[in-house]
Amino acid sequence: MSEEKTGAQIMCEALIREGVEVMFGIPGGAIMPFYFAMWEYRDQLRHVLCRHEQGAGHAAEGYARSTGKVGVCIGTSGPGATNLVTPIADAMMDSTPLVAITGQVSSAVLGKDAFQETDITGITMPITKHNYLVKRIEDLPWVFKEAFHIASTGRPGPVLIDITKDAQQARMVPDWDVKLNLPGYKPNYQGNRKQVREAIRLLMSACKPLIMVGNGVIMSGATEELRALAERTGIPVITTLHGIGAFPEDHPLSIGMPGMHGWVHVNRAIQECDVLLNIGGRFDDRVTGKASTFAPNARVIHIDIDPSEIGKNVKVTVPIVGDARMVISALLEEMPDRSELATLHSHASDWMEHIREMQATHQHKQQYIARPDVPMYLPPHDVYAALTRIVNQHGNYRIVTDVGQHQMWAAQLIDWHRPRTHITSGGAGTMGFAVPAAMGAAIAHPDETIWAICGDGGFQMTNQELATIVQEGIKNVKVAIINNGYLGMVRQWQELFENKRYSGTPLSGPDFARLAEAYGVRGITVEHTDEVADAINTAYEYDGSVVIDFRVEREVNVFPMVPQGKSIGDMITESPIV
Amino acid sequence: MKKHTIVALMQDQPGALNRAVSLFRRRGYNIASLAVGHSETPGISRMTLVVESDDVEQVVKQLYRLIDVVKVSDVTDDPTVDREMALTKVHTTSATRAEIATLADIFDAKVVDVSTNTMIIEMTGTPAKVDNFVEVMRPFGIKEMMRTGRIAMVRGTNTHRGAEYVESNGHVATGAVLN
């Protein structure tokens, strides 16, 4: 046991101790000692060689988001490290547990503009939960232990460890008996009981209560508890973009997604509600619209593990700092008997009836899925209608979406049932997320079908990872490109608000099916509605990864929509109603 | 805009100060003064920061969120002892030397260096008193000045001790938990 090891070997052993099985990265000069050592540990630590560090970072995110475990990505110093900046920022915004490992130039030349030197700890300071510059081999065991602890606990997030080349090359007998020394880091998991009782008192007094759930419910694994809370109280449930999957959409209490591209009846319900219980969501501006006009009649109960989120965007009546699962459990424990809940139930049931009436008056998901009235050769809605039908027939799937129109259609038009099946770049809105993140999820779940839905713009940002998919023998990634030849969401804004001045949005691309074939995956082109189902079925039947190029109608908009800076009560839709 | 005095305890680590100060930069807040040094507890440094802003509550919460930061308080409205030190190098002549020394004496300041045509005066007091002193010296010709920035401590039995957050073995603490 008391054998001398290099810093690089200690890094590998630290990763194994933290339960890491797979890492995504690209080698380079300053990280070479780590790659040298990695070869010895290759049976325990799988390394996936990506084609760009951004791909490596998003792949680690996809792995993390689909499993709840910490994703690990690796880059060398300088450009290797700066290419990781986008996925690190993405992980920060979406609270994704990520450890990024970067090589750094030797400590002797640190700060002297050495070859491929970049101050990556300085650069990533505002976009990491924490970061470390390690210059001494003896610091490696505790730094790795702390980094994984910080990344995965409390509100999860990215941690970067930058390690000088000489620290990787040095030798010592590692001392694994390290304790966490984090006096300033004590996440509060248990909600304050007094506040929990206060929340119940408020809910009991409500006539029009709503539960809104975000990513926190999924990350804390609170879906069962949430369901129990909703069923016990009869309160309608809203799932935000990142809350999708936390509550099954076919449940009678599910009313759908709020916000900029949420449903009219959901936003109307928020504007009318008198008590709003937000669990694990951060009142993002895409949810609230103009924050000062959001839920004007509501007293708000906000459950969040991060105290700095409470009161940030929306005024809160009852704040509860804690883990979503533990606080919901506490709510259930403190909840009065069924008989005492009769009044709440009766109010909630009348309220639900009212919401369903609004839903019937305005756009309903099922109507919306139907083909638009204008004749088109391939409306994007037909692709989603077929996708939701076929993927739910097969089951055992996850869907990773990119950023833009296709992302909103996916959130709206697919029927979501299970947590961690909807994975998207929400807070940062990172185009290029889907293909590499789907690859990461596919490695974590080789027995499932991982769909990546992306636009032709986002696909062209990171499609080089198709080469990684082929090299790694990954057979379960199925890419659906909603190809409209535009940066579609920007084009939609230009159409609606800038008098169709299509500045910088028309977009050409290669023949994606032939590009896919050139990479060695199956490529399929779809131009008409009647070919959609066949293509999706072929993707399922084909023993390997597939790219389907859905050449959809070019100028279709995502509706309903809240224009920027407007209240969520002011939605615009295609329909003359509203 | 209101001036806020914020006292923070943080782990004595490279980058800790940078991270804390960065939060104010990100919001576009100008830091009026900043003083950092050791606290009574080994491994914990103490920072007093003065910032002009109408809304510091959110930044204080975000400071808490930093891993290195152990404890943060906005002591603006608390009864505090506030002190600042200034070293002032004043131009002197044989005619003004005695008068400057007398004025320094009135302010309880100390003359700590004398040359043929300069004097360095060490002055400690409330930031307002330091302001006054500087104004009194200005007509003589201030050649150089360095002020430390405000340090603050809440009066009475309330304490902001690093030791409350660090266990006897120097490791994990009981923690500063909101709620």
Side-chain angles (χ1 to χ4, degrees), chain A residues 368-383 409 484 491 495 527-530 532 551-559 574:
Chain A
Y368 202 68
I369 266 187
R371 226 180 145 92
D373 296 335
V374 198
M376 294 177 183
Y377 58 95
L378 180 52
H381 304 77
D382 287 358
V383 177
W409 282 320
N484 57 11
R491 186 210 57 76
E495 176 189 329
E527 290 183 304
H528 297 281
T529 294
D530 53 13
V532 171
R551 298 189 180 168
V552 299
E553 186 67 30
R554 294 194 69 199
E555 299 188 21
V556 179
N557 293 328
V558 182
F559 286 116
E574 273 185 310

Side-chain angles (χ1 to χ4, degrees), chain A residues 133-144 172:
Chain A
L133 169 61
V134 181
K135 297 191 290 183
R136 305 182 313 167
I137 182 174
E138 55 267 39
D139 293 332
L140 287 168
W142 71 262
V143 166
F144 272 75
M172 70 175 288

Side-chain angles (χ1 to χ4, degrees), chain B residues 26-39:
Chain B
R26 182 180 171 195
R27 292 287 285 262
Y29 294 163
N30 192 30
I31 294 171
S33 87
L34 174 67
V36 196
H38 293 300
S39 69

Side-chain angles (χ1 to χ4, degrees), chain B:
Chain B
M1 275 191 294
K2 189 173 173 182
K3 264 194 178 168
H4 289 266
T5 306
I6 293 159
V7 173
L9 296 173
M10 56 178 83
Q11 281 187 290
D12 188 6
Q13 298 273 2
L17 179 65
N18 200 338
R19 261 184 266 270
V21 169
S22 241
L23 284 178
F24 293 89
R25 175 193 52 75
R26 182 180 171 195
R27 292 287 285 262
Y29 294 163
N30 192 30
I31 294 171
S33 87
L34 174 67
V36 196
H38 293 300
S39 69
E40 77 297 327
T41 309
I44 300 287
S45 34
R46 179 165 172 145
M47 168 176 96
T48 306
L49 189 144
V50 180
V51 63
E52 275 182 34
S53 155
D54 290 327
D55 171 31
V56 291
E57 194 194 338
Q58 194 58 36
V59 188
V60 167
K61 281 182 179 175
Q62 285 173 338
L63 270 175
Y64 251 118
R65 194 162 78 158
L66 296 176
I67 306 292
D68 301 316
V69 173
V70 170
K71 169 86 180 160
V72 192
S73 317
D74 182 348
V75 300
T76 313
D77 299 324
D78 294 340
T80 51
V81 176
D82 291 43
R83 287 295 179 271
E84 185 171 5
M85 189 172 112
L87 289 176
T88 313
K89 188 182 278 182
V90 188
H91 176 70
T92 60
T93 63
S94 52
T96 61
R97 196 172 292 125
E99 189 189 354
I100 292 170
T102 309
L103 285 170
D105 199 39
I106 292 169
F107 276 90
D108 271 339
K110 268 198 293 193
V111 175
V112 290
D113 179 72
V114 180
S115 76
T116 50
N117 56 359
T118 61
M119 233 183 225
I120 299 179
I121 303 166
E122 174 195 322
M123 154 82 201
T124 304
T126 62
K129 191 177 168 188
V130 175
D131 287 345
N132 281 342
F133 177 71
V134 171
E135 284 318 303
V136 168
M137 286 298 120
R138 205 176 287 285
F140 298 103
I142 295 174
K143 292 169 126 8
E144 261 185 76
M145 183 178 71
M146 173 69 213
R147 295 174 68 154
T148 56
R150 178 190 306 230
I151 59 171
M153 195 170 282
V154 175
R155 293 173 187 272
T157 47
N158 280 348
T159 54
H160 292 90
R161 296 182 66 234
E164 288 164 27
Y165 308 99
V166 181
E167 283 178 357
S168 52
N169 60 7
H171 281 298
V172 182
T174 49
V177 176
L178 277 187
N179 234 358

